Amino acid sequence: MNPPELTELADESEELVPYVSSLRRAALQAPELTGVRALSHGFLLKFLRARDFDVELALKLLLNYQRWRRDSPEISSCLSPVSVLGLLREDYHSVLPLRDHSGSRVLLYRIGQWNPKDWSAIQVFRVSLMTSEVIARETQTQRRGLKVIFDLQGWCLGHALQVTPSLARKISSVLAFASPQIHVHGSDYTDSLLDFFSAPVLPLEYGGEGPSIQEVCQAWTNQLLQSESILQKVAAHPAGDIDSKKYLGKLLLKKV
């Protein structure tokens, strides 16, 4: 079975078990996961789908994720939406309610809504990490990935001064996990964005037919707040794995 076919299989499919088992064996032997005795089926699937079920590449991605968490405790150990609620209420960020034509999640960041006098770049980066942890649990997002709209209107020197060399390195290491294709839109972005996203996907202010920016930002803020408990558990777990044994349980039940 080829990678695209594997990606489309249900999480509990028995055909995925050999790949998950191979990745688990390799990961638990790695020094980055010393002290971790188990890794769940659902957690490992995220990395396998991200690398088309190439176990070696999935292991590299998983260990990069572990090293990043270890080296960035000021970001990864505090995943509380309540701690950045003021920033979220400035309509800074949203995951749009509709996926694009390929099934990808569409994220929106409005840099001008971030006041660098009130919020540090580390707090801003935590917002991105929280969203990433939430949507990475979605099977469809694991299969179809995501796209990001960065609205840089309002970017100023105050923002730039917040991004220290150390933080810049950490951001670049996250970007290294993916292979982004960047498209720059000018002041006529309301027209050019429609070349990439259908009108129902985009908010009204971006030339679309979807809900307003305020509505989509408030909706995602509520989603993050509802995920507070999950995010706190991710931050506290040594590997960031909080999936229960439900997948293994389903497999065992199918065999009975």
Side-chain angles (χ1 to χ4, degrees), residues 1 21 23 51 53 55 58 87 109 153 164 210 222 237 251:
M1 187 172 287
S21 298
L23 179 56
R51 291 298 180 263
F53 285 85
V55 174
L87 174 61
Y109 293 92
Q153 185 172 6
T164 64
N222 291 337
H237 192 279
L251 290 172

Side-chain angles (χ1 to χ4, degrees), residues 9-188:
L9 292 175
D11 290 3
E12 61 269 24
S13 171
E14 293 184 21
E15 294 180 76
L16 300 180
V17 173
Y19 297 90
V20 173
S21 298
S22 295
L23 179 56
R24 181 183 290 113
R25 282 194 299 270
L28 291 177
Q29 294 173 3
E32 289 87 348
L33 288 165
T34 300
V36 177
R37 295 186 295 175
L39 293 170
S40 71
H41 184 94
F43 179 73
L44 294 170
L45 267 183
K46 294 190 297 185
F47 299 95
L48 285 164
R49 284 196 173 114
R51 291 298 180 263
D52 292 329
F53 285 85
D54 183 313
V55 174
E56 184 176 344
L57 292 179
L59 176 64
K60 182 179 179 180
L61 180 64
L62 170 57
L63 297 183
N64 283 343
Y65 170 75
Q66 299 303 327
R67 284 190 290 268
W68 192 90
R69 294 182 81 240
R70 179 197 65 201
D71 296 340
S72 308
E74 73 279 16
I75 302 172
S76 63
S77 64
C78 181
L79 299 182
S80 170
V82 172
S83 71
V84 290
L85 186 56
L87 174 61
L88 292 170
R89 284 181 170 164
E90 292 295 326
D91 297 339
Y92 161 72
H93 169 59
S94 178
V95 176
L96 302 185
L98 295 184
R99 295 175 182 269
D100 75 353
H101 63 281
S102 65
S104 298
R105 275 291 203 178
V106 182
L107 282 59
L108 171 65
Y109 293 92
R110 305 174 66 224
I111 304 302
Q113 300 305 112
W114 162 29
N115 186 339
K117 294 181 180 179
D118 296 332
W119 303 97
S120 71
I122 287 176
Q123 290 172 308
V124 170
F125 200 7
R126 281 186 197 140
V127 172
S128 298
L129 185 56
M130 285 186 271
T131 285
S132 296
E133 291 289 359
V134 170
I135 65 176
R137 296 172 60 82
E138 302 169 344
T139 297
Q140 185 69 348
T141 301
Q142 294 171 21
R143 290 170 174 159
R144 302 289 180 257
L146 58 88
K147 297 181 176 70
V148 184
I149 299 171
F150 288 103
D151 185 343
L152 298 179
Q153 185 172 6
W155 171 267
C156 66
L157 180 61
H159 295 115
L161 292 175
Q162 283 275 358
V163 184
T164 64
S166 173
L167 182 60
R169 284 193 297 271
K170 292 178 180 181
I171 294 173
S172 65
S173 67
V174 171
L175 294 177
F177 295 167
S179 300
Q181 301 296 313
I182 299 174
H183 300 274
V184 178
H185 303 265
S187 57
D188 60 344

Side-chain angles (χ1 to χ4, degrees), residues 167-228:
L167 182 60
R169 284 193 297 271
K170 292 178 180 181
I171 294 173
S172 65
S173 67
V174 171
L175 294 177
F177 295 167
S179 300
Q181 301 296 313
I182 299 174
H183 300 274
V184 178
H185 303 265
S187 57
D188 60 344
Y189 60 84
T190 55
D191 292 325
S192 60
L193 280 174
L194 290 171
D195 293 334
F196 296 87
F197 303 101
S198 64
V201 172
L202 295 172
L204 294 169
E205 294 88 341
Y206 289 94
E209 300 171 354
S212 68
I213 287 175
Q214 184 179 48
E215 289 174 300
V216 297
C217 288
Q218 288 180 350
W220 186 248
T221 295
N222 291 337
Q223 180 63 53
L224 287 177
L225 290 172
Q226 291 169 18
S227 304
E228 174 92 23

